[in-house]
Amino acid sequence: MTRIRRRLNVARQVTLGIAAVAAFAAPVAVGAIQQAPPDARPRFEVASIRPCEGTQGKRDARPSPGRLTVTCHTLATLIRLAYIGWGPSSLATPIVGGPGWVESDEYLIDARAASEQSVAMVGGPMLQTLLEERFMLKIRRETRELPHFALTVADGGFKLRPIDPASCVAPDLTKPPVTRDPVTQKPFCGRTSISPAGVSGSSMTVEELATALRSFVDRPVVNKTGIDGMFDVRLQFAPLRSPEQNGSNDAAGRLGRNPPAGVAPGGGRGDGGRGDGATVAADVSIFTAIQEQLGLRLERTTGPVPAVLVIDHVERPSPN
């Protein structure tokens, strides 16, 4: 399996596995990583951590009130979920430092609290404590100079129209999700879907779009558009083979020529979700699609990338 398919598969598995947390929510940003005193940390009463053997390909991550079960996820994925938030776009956060096994070794985790805890507590502070105590993890967040793509406004201007912020409501991550708020009956903001052939989302910010695009390219994406507000996004392009092949914004480097001519990648309507009837070319690259469908541009550059997670120390967990 190529790295792009693995990354997207992990994103889909996480999204499905954490339906009780935030299947329709954007990742939760946090400030500087500060470790609480040992006696003040929320922790699981019992926790089993074992190498994943014989169940490869069956990835899942599922917090519930008072319990966390993980099937075959890497420590890198768990770090991103614990310290950034539960959602596919959080998996795009860069991690530097640490040995190679952090991104390759997969683990089975079954952890239970002494009493019922909120899902947000289980998937956030309690998971952080588990990683810090069992993997001896020491981690911090900083801005680093890294190669990245700058997301900017293309010639011709931004093409999406903002939606009314009052048309959706922020999700409550402590409660099981539904498609609409039970009180107002309004949809939740920031619902995002990622597939090998595109990104779609309701009430997304451009910042959330930039984070989602990281799954398709070989480096971080930094939002430099200066655009505020929320938008309904439908971005479609030819299915990608690997993020490494998307290391430049040369539109001639088109990928994935399998769909028949005139058929939108992934099936369905061929207008990129715009509703204007225009057909998306079957061989359109992600760089061309972003420019033609959204009025944005990915520019290759080097500069400060915020919210990079830096591993200062980590160890494999002792068997139990």
Side-chain angles (χ1 to χ4, degrees):
M1 178 182 293
T2 63
R3 192 176 302 178
I4 181 63
R5 294 190 180 278
R6 174 184 173 87
R7 183 183 295 169
L8 293 172
N9 182 58
V10 169
R12 287 195 296 269
Q13 292 290 343
V14 169
T15 303
L16 293 173
I18 62 174
V21 186
F24 306 107
V28 179
V30 297
I33 299 173
Q34 298 179 348
Q35 296 180 333
D39 57 352
R41 291 180 176 179
R43 53 171 45 83
F44 295 104
E45 182 179 38
V46 294
S48 170
I49 302 178
R50 297 180 290 115
C52 176
E53 298 176 352
T55 54
Q56 283 80 356
K58 300 178 181 179
R59 299 181 182 88
D60 193 13
R62 193 177 300 274
S64 59
R67 185 173 182 179
L68 172 69
T69 56
V70 172
T71 303
C72 296
H73 274 303
T74 65
L75 177 59
T77 294
L78 297 176
I79 288 173
R80 292 179 174 106
L81 297 177
Y83 292 97
I84 300 299
W86 288 71
S89 55
S90 68
L91 302 177
T93 301
I95 295 180
V96 298
W101 62 263
V102 169
E103 294 275 6
S104 60
D105 290 8
E106 298 178 333
Y107 292 92
L108 299 168
I109 297 177
D110 186 3
R112 306 185 187 193
S115 59
E116 184 170 301
Q117 301 286 339
S118 71
V119 173
M121 176 66 74
V122 169
M126 296 182 74
L127 177 55
Q128 291 176 17
T129 300
L130 182 66
L131 300 182
E132 291 164 11
E133 293 183 341
R134 296 294 297 276
F135 289 86
M136 306 301 292
L137 176 66
K138 294 183 180 179
I139 193 167
R140 55 191 166 89
R141 187 193 315 277
E142 69 179 34
T143 297
R144 284 203 171 190
E145 293 280 326
L146 294 175
H148 66 272
F149 282 110
L151 184 65
T152 61
V153 179
D155 294 340
F158 187 51
K159 296 185 177 182
L160 299 184
R161 296 179 180 178
I163 66 169
D164 182 359
S167 64
C168 65
V169 296
D172 184 348
L173 302 188
T174 66
K175 298 179 180 179
V178 290
T179 57
R180 294 181 178 272
D181 178 71
V183 177
T184 65
Q185 291 301 306
K186 293 180 179 179
F188 287 114
C189 305
R191 292 172 296 167
T192 306
S193 176
I194 298 176
S195 76
V199 177
S200 62
S202 299
S203 311
M204 290 180 68
T205 65
V206 177
E207 189 71 33
E208 291 167 346
L209 171 63
T211 305
L213 291 175
R214 173 64 178 92
S215 296
F216 301 95
V217 291
D218 66 342
R219 62 200 63 206
V221 178
V222 178
N223 174 25
K224 296 185 179 180
T225 64
I227 297 174
D228 296 322
M230 295 186 297
F231 308 87
D232 289 338
V233 176
R234 300 293 183 272
L235 176 66
Q236 290 184 303
F237 41 81
L240 307 179
R241 296 173 185 169
S242 76
E244 287 72 20
Q245 290 171 296
N246 290 324
S248 76
N249 52 359
D250 180 4
R254 301 174 187 268
L255 304 176
R257 302 173 183 269
N258 295 327
V263 177
R269 191 170 63 193
D271 60 1
R274 299 188 304 275
D276 58 9
T279 299
V280 176
D283 66 346
V284 67
S285 73
I286 183 174
F287 303 99
T288 301
I290 290 172
Q291 186 165 341
E292 293 180 348
Q293 299 171 27
L294 306 182
L296 299 175
R297 179 177 174 84
L298 287 175
E299 299 179 353
R300 193 175 187 176
T301 187
T302 297
V305 176
V308 175
L309 296 176
V310 181
I311 296 177
D312 289 324
H313 182 82
V314 69
E315 300 176 12
R316 283 190 171 96
S318 57
N320 60 355

